[in-house]
Amino acid sequence: SDIRFKNPEKSSRELDGLYDRGYFHGTNSGYPASGYRDSHPQWTPWLDLIGTIKPSGMLIDLGCAYGYLVQESRQRGYQAIGLDISSHALAQEPELAPWRGRANLERLPLQSRSADIVTLFDVLEHLHNPKKALAEAVRILKPEGLLVGATPDPIYFEGNEETHFTERPPSFWIKAIEDLGLTVHFRFSVEPYNF
């Protein structure tokens, strides 16, 4: 069935403006006023899990924000880069600038089969066409590659964020990923709503 959006589709420029300083400091998001730098996800448990499956290779973080997952991945020996739509996010942490770039995740500027690992953490719900972004993620993934991500289950997610255009239950994401030819293994994260 067709995806119905909470808001009309926005252009890349409009999305860039939506994910500005205010977003990363809680104006139109669940981040605290102190900002994303102080409250970003902890990547160690995820990288420990990824490392048991793919201990090395090219990791591409889609929706990388300030680039902390890219940074920690590189510290662990991965070749890692990140892409995000937000100019504000990409202007933060200038020492990470060489490994981050700006892109609309529905049209990735990367070669097919270039990544061993693609991550999509807390980004699918922010996309107008997440199935297209998932298809792009699979396109850049090498055979036997690993796609890892998280998105809130709207049944348990109590937030009401204007930037969440596409919240769907886990069954939707499982089918969308299986339709792209991948095998799905799922779990819930520390937060009961995080699938």
Side-chain angles (χ1 to χ4, degrees), residues 10-178:
K10 296 183 182 306
S11 70
S12 292
R13 180 176 291 163
E14 289 172 314
L15 288 171
D16 182 26
L18 189 60
Y19 299 105
D20 60 3
R21 184 184 188 287
Y23 172 81
F24 288 98
H25 286 269
T27 302
N28 57 342
S29 72
Y31 294 118
S34 61
Y36 179 79
R37 185 174 283 119
D38 297 334
S39 64
H40 64 84
Q42 296 303 310
W43 298 117
T44 300
W46 282 110
L47 286 169
D48 288 347
L49 174 65
I50 290 168
T52 64
I53 302 166
K54 291 277 183 193
S56 64
M58 171 59 79
L59 183 149
I60 300 176
D61 183 24
L62 302 178
C64 70
Y66 291 13
Y68 299 131
L69 175 57
V70 171
Q71 180 181 41
E72 191 169 336
S73 299
R74 294 184 74 78
Q75 290 168 349
R76 288 180 178 229
Y78 289 96
Q79 299 170 350
I81 62 169
L83 297 172
D84 204 285
I85 195 77
S86 171
S87 296
H88 170 79
L90 296 172
Q92 309 308 304
E93 310 300 351
E95 69 279 6
L96 301 176
W99 301 288
R100 294 179 298 154
R102 187 166 181 272
N104 182 319
L105 303 187
E106 296 171 11
R107 294 182 305 277
L108 296 174
L110 300 169
Q111 292 182 351
S112 297
R113 298 180 174 205
S114 58
D116 298 287
I117 304 151
V118 174
T119 59
L120 286 154
F121 286 106
D122 302 308
V123 69
L124 291 170
E125 66 275 13
H126 294 276
L127 302 175
H128 286 290
N129 192 338
K131 285 185 176 182
K132 188 170 182 181
L134 282 170
E136 278 290 276
V138 171
R139 179 186 65 77
I140 66 169
L141 201 59
K142 292 178 182 177
E144 304 302 319
L146 177 65
L147 177 69
V148 183
T151 189
D153 179 346
I155 295 171
Y156 296 103
F157 183 66
E158 296 179 7
N160 184 13
E161 296 194 24
E162 68 181 73
T163 62
H164 285 197
F165 304 119
T166 311
E167 290 181 358
R168 293 290 179 268
S171 59
F172 173 89
W173 300 113
I174 291 169
K175 180 165 180 4
I177 294 167
E178 287 178 341

